């Protein structure tokens, strides 16, 4: 859009590394223009009145004006309309920022701790963050992060992608992005987390997707992929005695095709089976009972580590 | 009142007034006079402001990165940041206008002899002192590095037990806030002078009244939240700790359920002061009295429904974010109404520019920027980028500090003659205004840009590309500091050597200007009778 190029202030923003960054900046440019106009109306108007109605002699009298209903209606109603517009525009972008697309090229479990990030790929590649090990992701394709924290709340912020999500202990949150071009992008922690809060930086390195595929498959995997570890755990904890993996019904719902499906619960509510739902159901199964099944599953809270849970989730995801 | 604007109007005999009614330190410490209690808050809050300002200058000096070695250690920096925030919010900005100016002005503006419960009022002051002392003791023992928001589980699991002292101090000061609010509400309802109907009370009172409602309703939530932090830390009850089945984000809900309304505890009284100043120095009746009064109440009401806008990226649901976003947008409307009304008040008035008016105009300027940038943050899609960056730091300093402190300074210079019976040097006031106003913009405007560039807040260290703007910001902070030094000198000079003040130096219309300067012990020799609205400049 041409009007947005009128505002050099967009150049204060970091580079636009994603499509969404462009959309955010367009709203930003609009907000700056709208703010400038409002500022000129308010402060310009005020300044004009101050000059025009400056007291020049001692016996001057002010006009006696108490109110004006029409003017007051207008300056209440017009801002309301503008605010609603800005709200709607922001909401549209927010939903895009918060809704990952269907086809995800890379899924990475990211665990924050004081003062580092660990990222683990679906095939078991794992990196304890440092400036030397950037998070490798494919350029031009969508990457989804599943975030959690070992200790306090951290926040994963990529200025170039205009996106940010807290990593909360005891909870899984998610973030997605699709870098347009190969390149290196800085990641900050933006939730205050103690001494080295400002030192908790990593880089995301977006590489061409063929290169990503080669990198992903070439180097040595971890001993077992998270899904493999999850499969072992699934057997150890005897999950299979209640949950089939082939679609047949036993005591509890089958794991086949579970991930991403819609769930209906005994209390009438519904949700989609995402990572956080699986996590909750594994740890505290009584939280949401799927309609038509007995509340029979034991509570695993306190028995499984965050990593165990993440592995199980990866295994469940793999049962398509 | 044709000579209303002159400064030579002669007053009543000032032989006997509240300042010399009883002498000695004991007569102050045991006083039940709201005016003296107001001044005691003035002295206390000013002292705390200097301490909070010291930490601010330390932070800014460190961030300027002059030289190779950092000025502060990371942990020291984090403590500076925490004490700066906690002192300025809980001990300066929140009590500043209501407890100090409000206590001094409210009963006189209502034509009352005192507040409804003078003993409770003195008690509130001592509770405040006790809270401040407890909180300050955390500066000596077990320093705190959580930031003033005390987010869990950092505050409960990962840092020193000093947090308990600081939250206990804030908890205690909360009672002072609640009791003062209660006192103001009862005073407003019960002790108005004959003829002063609710639609004839000054707008300062409407603002203090709305603030009091928030104080009474919201502060208990903070108290409970802070108690829970203490319980979690000492007993390990597991409300916020995920390892014990708690929810760390729950704390943020509790905390902001108080602390967002608290933003309006800070800004509504400031708006009250501005309403008084604009009308007095335009010599014109306020435009849209009802709109301003009711918009205060509207802001107070909506303020309870917007806390979730602090949590757009916390992991709360997308839908919750959207709902909090739309409600937040509604706050913009009553705020815009006030700005338009103040500007319209100047239209066809006869405006003069003494120091208090300059501060009021400075408020308008800074608050407009603060308000407009608030719209950026209220918009969900935009906030995701700006959340917890310097953009937020700049925004809330423009609103809370630029807004509230400008109003506080304007209010002090405006009511100073009434408080001490002496005038301040107008030149001194103007010089301090120039320094503070310029300093604010030099300090905080670059921070909007830093935020857009992506610099997160609460950072001990930053990327090289942020250096220049940070250095500009630091230079600005010195200007602000200098401005407050000039203000302090001007005030001390005014108290000691100022020209004797007439009863009504500004030619204002509200009741406090109809009694002598300084007022007698019980405010009025004869109880005034009110026959018209508060700003009847005909």
């Amino acid at each position: 859009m041409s009007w947005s190029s009128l505002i050099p202030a967009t150049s204060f923003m970091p580079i636009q590394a994603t499509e969404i960054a462009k959309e955010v900046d367009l709203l930003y440019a609009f907000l700056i223009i709208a703010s400038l106009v409002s500022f000129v109306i308010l402060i310009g108007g005020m300044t004009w009145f101050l000059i025009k109605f400056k007291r020049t002699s001692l016996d001057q009298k002010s006009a006696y004006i108490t109110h004006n209903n029409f003017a007051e209606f207008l300056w209440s109603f017009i801002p309301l309309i503008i605010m609603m517009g800005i709200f709607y525009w922001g909401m549209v972008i927010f939903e895009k920022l918060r809704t990952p697309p269907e086809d995800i090229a890379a899924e990475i479990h990211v665990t924050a701790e004081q003062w580092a990030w660990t990222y683990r790929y679906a095939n078991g590649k794992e990196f304890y963050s440092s400036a030397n090990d950037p998070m490798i992701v494919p350029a031009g394709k969508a990457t989804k992060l599943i975030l959690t924290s070992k200790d306090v709340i951290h926040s994963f912020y990529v200025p170039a992608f205009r996106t940010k999500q807290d990593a909360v202990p005891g909870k899984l949150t998610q973030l997605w992005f699709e870098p347009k071009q190969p390149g290196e992008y800085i990641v900050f922690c933006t939730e205050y987390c103690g001494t080295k809060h400002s030192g908790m930086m990593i880089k995301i390195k977006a590489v061409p997707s063929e290169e990503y595929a080669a990198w992903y498959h070439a180097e040595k995997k971890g001993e077992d992929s998270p899904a493999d570890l999850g499969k072992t755990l699934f057997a150890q904890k005897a999950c299979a005695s209640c949950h089939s993996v082939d679609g047949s019904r036993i005591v509890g719902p089958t794991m086949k095709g579970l991930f991403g499906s819609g769930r209906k619960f005994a209390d009438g509510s519904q949700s989609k089976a995402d990572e956080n739902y699986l996590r909750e159901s594994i740890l505290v199964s009584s939280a949401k009972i799927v309609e038509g099944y007995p509340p029979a599953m034991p509570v695993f809270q306190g028995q499984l580590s965050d990593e165990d849970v993440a592995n199980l989730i990866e295994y469940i995801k793999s049962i398509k | 009142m044709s000579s209303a604007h002159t400064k030579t109007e002669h007053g009543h005999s000032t032989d006997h007034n509240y300042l010399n009614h009883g002498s000695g330190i004991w007569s102050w410490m045991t006083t039940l006079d709201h005016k003296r209690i107001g001044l005691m808050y003035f002295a206390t809050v000013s002292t705390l402001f200097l301490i909070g300002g010291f930490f601010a200058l330390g932070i800014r000096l460190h961030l300027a990165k002059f030289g190779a070695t950092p000025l502060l250690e990371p942990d020291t920096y984090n403590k500076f940041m925490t004490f700066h925030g906690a002192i300025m919010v809980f001990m300066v900005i929140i009590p500043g206008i209501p407890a100090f100016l409000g206590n001094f002005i409210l009963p006189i503006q209502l034509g009352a002899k005192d507040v409804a419960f003078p003993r409770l009022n003195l008690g509130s002051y001592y509770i405040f002192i006790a809270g401040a002392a407890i909180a300050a003791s955390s500066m000596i023992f077990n320093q705190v590095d959580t930031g003033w928001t005390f987010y869990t589980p950092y505050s409960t699991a990962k840092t020193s037990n000093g947090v308990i002292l600081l939250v206990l101090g804030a908890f205690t000061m909360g009672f002072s806030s609640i009791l003062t609010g209660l006192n103001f509400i009862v005073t407003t309802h019960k002790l108005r002078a004959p003829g002063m109907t609710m639609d004839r009370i000054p707008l300062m009172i409407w603002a203090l009244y709305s603030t009091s409602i928030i104080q009474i309703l919201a502060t208990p939530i903070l108290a409970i939240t802070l108690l829970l932090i203490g319980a979690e830390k000492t007993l390990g009850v597991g409300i916020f700790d995920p390892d014990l089945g708690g929810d760390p984000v729950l704390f943020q809900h509790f905390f902001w359920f108080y602390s967002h309304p608290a933003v309006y505890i800070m800004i509504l009284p400031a708006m009250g002061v501005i309403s008084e100043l604009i009308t007095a120095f335009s010599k014109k009746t306020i435009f849209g009295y009802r709109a301003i009064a009711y918009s205060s109440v509207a802001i107070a009401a909506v303020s309870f429904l917007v806390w979730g806008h602090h949590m757009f990226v916390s992991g709360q649901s997308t839908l919750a974010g959207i709902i909090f976003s739309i409600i937040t947008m509604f706050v913009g409307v009553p705020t815009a109404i006030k700005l338009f009304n103040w500007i319209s008040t100047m239209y066809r008035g006869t405006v003069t520019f003494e120091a208090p008016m300059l501060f009021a105009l400075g408020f308008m300027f800074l608050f407009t920027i603060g308000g407009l940038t608030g719209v950026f943050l209220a918009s969900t899609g935009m906030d995701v980028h700006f959340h917890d960056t310097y953009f937020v730091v700049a925004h809330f300093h423009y609103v809370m500090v630029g807004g509230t402190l400008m109003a506080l300074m304007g209010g002090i210079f405006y009511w100073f003659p009434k408080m001490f019976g002496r005038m301040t040097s107008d030149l001194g006031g103007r010089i301090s205004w120039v320094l503070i106003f310029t300093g604010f913009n030099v300090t905080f405007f670059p921070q909007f840009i830093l935020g857009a560039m992506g610099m997160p807040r609460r950072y001990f260290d930053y990327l090289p590309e942020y250096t220049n703007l940070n250095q500009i910001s630091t230079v600005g902070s010195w200007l602000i500091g200098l401005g407050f030094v000039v203000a302090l000198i001007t005030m001390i000079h005014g108290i000691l050597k100022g020209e004797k003040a007439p009863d009504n130096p500004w030619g204002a219309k509200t009741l406090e200007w109809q009694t002598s300067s300084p007022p007698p012990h019980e405010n009025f020799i004869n109880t005034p009778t009110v026959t018209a609205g508060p700003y009847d400049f005909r």
Side-chain angles (χ1 to χ4, degrees), chain A residues 12-14 24 27-28 31-32 34-36 38-39 41-43 45-46 49-51 53-55 58-68 71-72 75-76 79-80 83-84 86-87 89-91 93-95 97-98 114 151-153 155 157 159 162-166 168-171 173 186 188-198 200-201 301, chain B residues 5 74-75 78 81 145-147 151-154 158 242 248-249 252 282-288 291 312-315 318 322 325-326 329-330 332-333 336-337 339-341 343-344 346-353 361 364-365 368-369 372 375-376 379-382 384-389 449 452-454 456-461 463 466 536-538:
Chain A
F12 294 133
M13 291 294 240
V24 171
L27 173 57
Y28 176 67
L31 285 168
I32 288 183
S35 298
L36 282 174
S38 310
F39 186 82
I41 292 172
L42 285 162
I43 301 302
M46 180 180 94
F49 288 169
L50 291 178
I51 295 166
F53 303 111
K54 182 177 186 315
R55 167 166 287 224
L58 293 181
D59 55 353
Q60 260 180 324
K61 274 189 82 77
S62 300
Y64 187 76
I65 309 166
T66 55
H67 63 286
N68 179 331
E72 292 186 61
W75 70 48
S76 314
L80 181 68
M83 302 276 197
M84 288 304 106
I86 294 168
F87 155 74
W89 192 343
M91 181 188 82
I93 293 175
F94 187 59
E95 287 191 325
L97 279 165
R98 284 288 172 263
Q114 291 175 315
D151 39 39
V152 303
I153 299 176
S155 192
Y157 172 36
R162 311 286 186 276
T163 192
K164 180 184 285 134
Q165 175 61 55
D166 285 2
V168 183
K171 191 169 174 176
T173 53
I186 200 137
F188 291 122
C189 173
T190 44
E191 188 63 81
Y192 175 75
C193 58
T195 311
K196 299 249 175 73
H197 171 50
S198 61
M200 199 169 152
M201 271 187 261
Q301 180 101 40
Chain B
H5 58 279
D75 282 329
N78 293 338
M81 166 207 75
D145 66 343
T146 58
Y151 270 19
T152 57
Y154 185 76
K158 287 285 173 182
V249 179
Q252 297 177 23
S282 302
K283 304 285 180 298
K284 182 160 166 279
T285 192
I286 196 92
F287 184 90
F312 287 157
V313 300
S314 69
T318 310
I322 288 168
S325 168
I326 193 169
M329 293 289 179
F330 289 132
V333 175
I337 290 175
L339 283 167
F340 281 117
N341 276 295
I343 292 168
S344 309
M346 298 170 198
Y347 172 72
R348 293 180 63 197
T350 53
V351 187
T352 56
F353 299 92
L361 298 173
M364 301 274 283
F365 185 96
T368 302
I369 295 176
L372 290 169
V375 178
F376 287 56
S379 167
T380 40
M382 200 69 244
V384 172
H385 177 63
F386 286 138
H387 191 88
D388 272 339
T389 66
I449 302 170
M453 289 167 75
R457 65 195 284 204
R458 295 170 166 166
Y459 261 30
F460 165 81
D461 197 5
L463 299 181
Y466 303 144
D536 210 26
F537 291 94
R538 283 194 212 242

Side-chain angles (χ1 to χ4, degrees), chain B residues 36-341:
Chain B
R36 285 187 164 202
I37 293 172
L39 290 192
M40 294 199 293
Y41 274 113
F42 183 18
T44 314
V45 168
S46 307
T47 310
L48 290 162
F49 176 71
L50 292 178
I51 301 172
F54 163 79
F55 287 119
L57 290 176
I59 292 171
R60 283 283 11 133
L61 202 56
H62 166 84
L63 290 173
K65 287 213 223 178
F66 296 130
T69 38
L71 182 71
L72 303 173
E73 293 295 311
D75 282 329
T76 317
Y77 172 83
N78 293 338
K79 287 168 186 170
F80 267 50
M81 166 207 75
T82 302
F83 284 115
H84 167 64
I87 290 173
M88 290 305 200
V89 171
F90 292 117
M91 306 179 211
V92 177
I93 307 269
I94 288 182
I97 297 183
F100 155 39
L101 287 180
N103 244 315
F104 191 92
I105 294 305
L106 178 131
I108 324 184
Q109 277 198 335
L110 288 170
K113 289 178 177 164
D114 206 318
V115 291
F117 308 114
R119 281 188 179 76
L120 190 68
N121 200 22
L122 182 66
S124 307
Y125 174 73
Y126 283 112
I127 293 172
F128 178 75
I129 291 288
I134 296 170
S137 68
S138 70
M139 283 194 272
I140 300 159
F141 321 108
N142 273 326
Q143 292 156 356
V144 187
D145 66 343
T146 58
W148 76 279
T149 51
F150 312 118
Y151 270 19
T152 57
Y154 185 76
S155 61
T156 51
K158 287 285 173 182
T159 192
S160 82
N161 283 328
V163 174
I164 298 175
L165 286 173
L166 193 50
V167 299
L168 194 65
F171 174 78
T172 311
M173 285 184 277
F175 282 98
S176 169
S177 190
I178 294 170
L179 295 173
T180 302
L182 185 74
N183 225 333
F184 284 4
I185 289 179
V186 177
T187 309
T188 306
H189 277 299
K190 292 306 220 186
L191 298 183
R192 300 192 304 272
M196 184 176 280
T197 51
M198 279 303 267
D199 56 6
R200 284 179 182 170
I201 61 178
L203 288 167
M204 173 77 175
I205 307 278
W206 270 113
L208 288 169
Y209 181 81
S210 314
T211 307
S212 301
I213 292 172
I214 305 179
Q215 284 175 310
I216 288 186
L217 295 179
T219 315
I221 314 286
L222 177 74
I224 293 165
T225 310
L226 297 177
L227 271 192
L228 287 175
I229 287 232
E232 181 102 4
K233 219 167 158 55
T234 50
L235 309 172
V237 289
I239 291 175
F240 306 127
D241 185 349
D243 288 344
L244 302 168
D247 181 356
V249 179
L250 180 65
F251 174 80
Q252 297 177 23
H253 283 287
F254 284 166
F255 182 82
W256 290 114
F257 192 80
Y258 164 77
S259 294
H260 194 80
V263 171
Y264 300 101
I265 296 180
M266 305 172 204
I267 201 68
L268 277 173
M271 292 168 156
V273 172
I274 298 307
S275 302
E276 300 292 317
L277 297 183
I278 298 279
T279 175
F281 291 91
S282 302
K283 304 285 180 298
K284 182 160 166 279
T285 192
I286 196 92
F287 184 90
Y289 170 87
R290 272 165 206 265
I292 295 184
Y294 297 161
S295 65
S296 288
V297 181
I299 289 174
V302 180
S303 75
F304 282 97
L305 306 173
V306 299
W307 78 90
H309 70 214
H310 294 264
M311 299 161 66
F312 287 157
V313 300
S314 69
Q316 79 179 0
S317 73
T318 310
L319 180 64
I322 288 168
I323 291 169
F324 283 121
S325 168
I326 193 169
I327 303 174
T328 302
M329 293 289 179
F330 289 132
V331 182
V333 175
T335 312
I337 290 175
K338 282 188 198 279
L339 283 167
F340 281 117
N341 276 295

